[in-house]
Structures are given as structure tokens and as C-alpha cells.
Amino acid sequence: MPETKITVIYDNPADPAEFESAYPEKQLEAAKRIPGWVRMETSRVWPKEDGSPTPAYRMIDLYYTDYDAASAAVATPEAGAFFQAMAQVSTGGVRVLFSDIEIAQH
């Protein structure tokens, strides 16, 4: 069965300390309240060795059984609250992607 993933990519914030202060409750906990996901992954992008900016800062991946389930989830009040807070927290920019999961076989 194909899965669908919603990926939130946070670009480098204007103030990383302020972002990190707000992220746990306003984004991570809010994402957990979005209904229907079967798996969630969060990640922080490693800094580059030379100190130059990375193409992204953090990501949240929410996995759903299919596209319809993901689409229904983003139409909920919980998702609305998440996206509203995301607009306030993401001072460096943010991208949201819906992706069809393709699993490579050996």
C-alpha cells in the first residue's frame, strides 16, 4: 500500500535561539495533535563544517496511509492551529510538501 508523507521544511530562522524556544510546543507538540498520522519523524539539519548556511534548518515528516488521509488531516482544526503557529515561528521561511513514498528494493 503506498503511503503519503507531509514534510515541513523550516529554513534557517532569523533567530535560532528564539525558534528553538518556540519549536517544542508551537510546532512539535502541535504536529503531534494533527490526527491520523501513522508515523512521525523530526530532524535537525547538521551544520556545514565551514560554517556556511545549510539549505534547511529542521524538518517534520508526518506519514499517512494514503493521500486522502493526509488531505483530510490538513483540513482539521488541529492542522489549522499548527499551520497558523508555523507562520509565526518560521521567520526564515518554510515549505510544506506532500510526497508519495517509494521504497527501493535490494
Side-chain angles (χ1 to χ4, degrees):
M1 172 191 283
E3 285 183 280
T4 294
K5 172 174 74 167
I6 300 172
T7 302
V8 179
I9 303 170
Y10 301 91
D11 294 330
N12 292 295
D15 183 340
E18 185 177 311
F19 179 89
E20 290 298 325
S21 175
Y23 176 78
E25 179 59 35
K26 292 189 176 187
Q27 290 299 266
L28 188 55
E29 290 303 317
K32 289 178 183 178
R33 289 189 286 271
I34 298 172
W37 54 271
V38 294
R39 188 170 89 239
M40 177 187 214
E41 294 177 350
T42 64
S43 54
R44 184 169 179 184
V45 178
W46 286 106
K48 290 185 178 181
E49 289 78 12
D50 66 2
S52 61
T54 59
Y57 184 74
R58 276 196 177 272
M59 294 184 293
I60 296 176
D61 292 299
L62 297 168
Y63 293 82
Y64 290 85
T65 54
D66 55 31
Y67 182 81
D68 290 339
S71 295
V74 298
T76 64
E78 294 87 352
F82 171 80
F83 289 121
Q84 183 176 14
M86 182 179 69
Q88 297 168 353
V89 171
S90 305
T91 58
V94 64
R95 292 164 277 162
V96 179
L97 310 169
F98 273 60
S99 303
D100 184 33
I101 305 293
E102 298 174 344
I103 300 173
Q105 302 296 320
H106 280 264

